Amino acid sequence: MNCPKCKTVNSDGMLFCRKCGTPLNPQYKVCPNGHNYPSDLDLCPHCPTNRAAEAYDDTDGLDKTRIDSSAPQMAGGDKAGWTIGRVEADRDKTVIMNPPKTSVPSATEQPAIRKLTGWLVTFDLQASGVDFRLYMGRHLIGRGARCDIVLQVPGVSEEHAVLLNRDGKFILQDNLSANGTYVNGEAIDDKRVLRENDVITIAGIKLKLKLV
């Protein structure tokens, strides 16, 4: 496949030119944070900012100025000195409607915030480099859109491998992929504890582990 910009010959299935980094596949997007995701999605599904709670939405218009056309009700009829003319005039006054009170969620109801623990860095997808953020917990690696680390490269399974950060350790396990998962050039059959600068290889894509 020839690069449309620099005319460099690239292998079939490459997403970016190895020389200049120009995208070769229009069905593939890269967000400002360097995450790879399908072009049919409007937002990157891997950026934490896209998972934040939505801001208060006044779709009911409760904060808007309204005209209350109903006549005020007075206990005891006209004893307070209200006259028919006064009642008619007050019907056109502006009334501010306050939004209903909502309960503040407790600490146990607050969304969990995952702590940043490291990155996977590769220069095989873009010449300038791409990094994937790693957090505490489980990361699914594969070409499927639901994966946390998306590699849309031939040879990568839909859900290729699982990377887990627990108790300060990174543990990698192949997810019965078709082409296997390698660490520092060695195929792994079982769980493997990773150290900083270890290189994970999946379908020819090398991902170096960097810790915070």
Side-chain angles (χ1 to χ4, degrees):
M1 180 183 297
N2 294 332
C3 175
K5 183 176 180 181
C6 67
K7 307 304 180 183
T8 298
V9 178
N10 295 273
S11 301
D12 291 342
M14 290 295 295
L15 301 178
F16 299 90
C17 177
R18 288 185 175 274
K19 182 177 181 181
C20 67
T22 300
L24 302 176
N25 187 349
Q27 303 300 319
Y28 186 72
K29 288 182 179 179
V30 178
C31 78
N33 291 325
H35 299 130
N36 308 310
Y37 66 100
S39 61
D40 58 350
L41 298 178
D42 294 331
L43 296 175
C44 174
H46 313 297
C47 291
T49 54
N50 294 335
R51 303 172 186 161
E54 296 181 356
Y56 172 74
D57 183 10
D58 186 34
T59 54
D60 294 332
L62 297 177
D63 287 337
K64 295 181 179 179
T65 301
R66 295 183 178 182
I67 303 298
D68 186 7
S69 60
S70 61
Q73 300 295 321
M74 298 295 296
D78 198 33
K79 292 181 179 180
W82 287 74
T83 64
I84 298 300
R86 179 67 178 276
V87 172
E88 293 296 330
D90 285 345
R91 288 181 177 178
D92 291 335
K93 285 188 176 180
T94 299
V95 178
I96 302 299
M97 305 295 291
N98 294 322
K101 294 182 179 180
T102 57
S103 59
V104 178
S106 64
T108 57
E109 295 175 346
Q110 297 289 347
I113 299 177
R114 300 172 68 189
K115 181 181 178 181
L116 180 68
T117 55
W119 295 266
L120 287 180
V121 183
T122 180
F123 291 91
D124 293 335
L125 297 175
Q126 287 189 25
S128 58
V130 175
D131 69 286
F132 300 96
R133 293 187 178 188
L134 302 176
Y135 300 89
M136 292 182 62
R138 182 175 180 270
H139 306 77
L140 187 59
I141 306 174
R143 72 167 187 270
R146 65 183 296 271
C147 292
D148 302 290
I149 299 172
V150 180
L151 301 175
Q152 289 191 333
V153 177
V156 178
S157 299
E158 190 79 10
E159 297 180 359
H160 196 103
V162 175
L163 180 61
L164 177 67
N165 178 253
R166 178 188 295 167
D167 299 329
K169 296 180 180 180
F170 278 101
I171 303 172
L172 179 68
Q173 183 174 16
D174 184 76
N175 197 29
L176 299 178
S177 64
N179 295 305
T181 303
Y182 298 78
V183 174
N184 299 329
E186 179 183 350
I188 61 173
D189 296 325
D190 201 354
K191 297 178 182 178
R192 176 70 63 90
V193 177
L194 302 181
R195 297 180 176 83
E196 186 167 20
N197 294 321
D198 278 350
V199 177
I200 303 170
T201 303
I202 296 177
I205 303 299
K206 295 181 179 179
L207 304 157
K208 177 176 285 189
L209 175 65
K210 305 298 292 185
L211 305 180
V212 173

